[in-house]
Amino acid sequence: MHTHPHYSQSAIDELSRAYPLLNPLMALTPVSWFNPERQPLEQALTGVNLNADDVADAAARLNRFASYFRAVFPNTRALNGLLESPVQPLAAMQRAMDTRLEQPLAGTLMLKRDDLLPVSGSIKARGGIYEVLQNAEKLAIKAGLLHPSDDYAKLDSDEFRAFFGQYSVAVGSTGNLGLSIGIISAKLGFKVSVHMSADAREWKKARLRSHGVNVVEYQNDYSVAVAEGRAKAQNDPCCHFVDDENSVQLLLGYAVAGQRLKAQLEKQDIKVDKEHPLFVYLPCGVGGGPGGVAFGLKLAFGDAVHCVFAEPTHSPCMLLGVYTGLHDSISVQDLGIDNLTAADGLAVGRPSGFVGRVMAPLLDGFYTLPDEDMLNLLSLLARQEGIYLEPSALAGMPGPWRVENEDQGYRERMGLTPARLARAHHLVWATGGGMVPEEEMAKYLAAGS
Ligand SMILES: *Cc1c(COP(=O)(O)O)cnc(C)c1O
């Protein structure tokens, strides 16, 4: 178990004198912060023992499993058994946002549709599913049942389900990670337990139970669900715990998105280089999803890609950790911030220290926004484009305007001239919403209009 320092009121006062942005953060006022410590990619990678080969290895593993996906999830056949989502322009939404924010965006707004990812309808279908596959492959190879050159469709058999049934998988989750890991683990034959925080939606728990998943409920927030799940799994050598706060495998699974996006943009004749910058806006909870995707994007596009994380005003954990350099040794609750948000995928009070340390020199910035904005944007996007997302997935939408309005010298430092910004693409990562039941969506739409 981790132990965490306790902060007295005088320690918090001292901290907020050294880090003045903590004052508006504690007042729940939306803030933007552009990272003065951002380093060129080469330099930032020197302290990291993960590289492009590790990500290529993860991509190759997903390719090996493609025939299994074609066999057991028929809706992945159109994509040849890969879990990938489209990128689309958002012209009507861009005009509506220009009006709403009273400022025309110079570049082009686009949306990455991870809400359409097969199997679980969220970004968690990248990292979460990858880690389960990596573990399954390792077990089967070790037992002499599988060879990397085999056709992995053979995993869809009673023999393999019985084999995996000797093992279990566990995870702590606010919802979507549990859905992804629960569904794929149960499909392969693993026994699986999902430890759900209090903010997890009822329908997500019901969906998991219908797949035969053991759902363990907590009255506490996400960090407690993770800690309890981790502690229970530690006593069981046959249990693999997917540790959302510390997992290299999760990060690699998410990072595969980088090369895939590069190929998609090339197909659409969208250039990315110093003269044609790409901005990507990623909603952030504990950090694994956006951190992994951003890591993959940096490897794929180098310094031409600019990654910005978005968090709710009530759960700004990664901003807090990176801005103060305290990472996972401080939580938003330490500052008296309640971690209560309608954006359930982002309801995390303490960030991943692993992700924060790897990504701190690579990220361009962070901003926070109130729940009300996410809900309003949810309904605006539905009206303008007929696209239905969950609240968390809207966190990235105001990002391009935050960049264009910043007054911290960031654009100048990065050489982001007006001419370059006019050629920029701004990609908002729509992290989820594909599995939200209609009656839940109706509630979101009503709340946002
Ligand atoms: C989990 C999640 C995120 C954030 O991912 P983290 O790995 O927790 O940072 C963002 N949006 C949605 C919809 C999610 O489910």
Side-chain angles (χ1 to χ4, degrees), residues 316-331:
C317 69
M318 189 60 80
L319 167 52
L320 174 62
V322 171
Y323 171 62
T324 60
L326 291 169
H327 298 295
D328 55 350
S329 61
I330 192 163
S331 71

Side-chain angles (χ1 to χ4, degrees), residues 122-124 174 176-177 244 254 283-290 345-346 348 390 392-393 431-433:
S122 83
I123 188 172
K124 304 300 192 311
T174 62
N176 285 337
L177 185 64
D244 200 15
Y254 287 118
C284 181
V286 73
L346 311 183
V348 178
E390 61 183 282
S392 304
T431 45

Side-chain angles (χ1 to χ4, degrees), residues 77-217:
R77 284 178 198 155
L79 289 163
N80 254 327
L82 293 185
L83 308 185
E84 196 41 75
S85 73
V87 176
Q88 68 179 77
L90 223 47
M93 185 65 174
Q94 183 168 348
R95 283 191 298 275
M97 291 291 287
D98 283 347
T99 306
R100 183 182 147 95
L101 301 176
E102 298 176 348
Q103 187 190 338
L105 182 71
T108 307
L109 186 66
M110 303 191 78
L111 194 65
K112 179 64 172 162
R113 299 292 308 276
D114 273 11
D115 60 303
L116 297 179
L117 281 178
V119 182
S120 64
S122 83
I123 188 172
K124 304 300 192 311
R126 298 183 183 277
I129 289 178
Y130 174 76
E131 179 158 344
V132 173
L133 301 179
Q134 194 265 349
N135 180 51
E137 184 188 57
K138 190 178 69 187
L139 291 170
I141 289 176
K142 194 166 165 222
L145 296 171
L146 185 68
H147 188 274
S149 63
D150 288 350
D151 179 349
Y152 281 26
K154 75 193 258 193
L155 298 179
D156 178 25
S157 64
D158 290 339
E159 183 201 355
F160 272 96
R161 280 183 285 271
F163 171 69
F164 291 129
Q166 304 166 279
Y167 299 92
S168 60
V169 175
V171 65
S173 172
T174 62
N176 285 337
L177 185 64
L179 271 181
S180 298
I181 285 178
I183 292 171
I184 187 66
S185 300
K187 195 61 128 185
L188 283 160
F190 286 105
K191 294 190 288 263
V192 47
S193 296
V194 176
H195 298 263
M196 287 275 204
S197 52
D199 41 274
R201 300 280 174 246
E202 274 314 316
W203 66 266
K204 291 183 182 172
K205 299 177 194 170
R207 184 79 58 100
L208 279 173
R209 291 194 174 106
S210 78
H211 286 270
V213 172
N214 175 31
V215 177
V216 188
E217 299 180 71

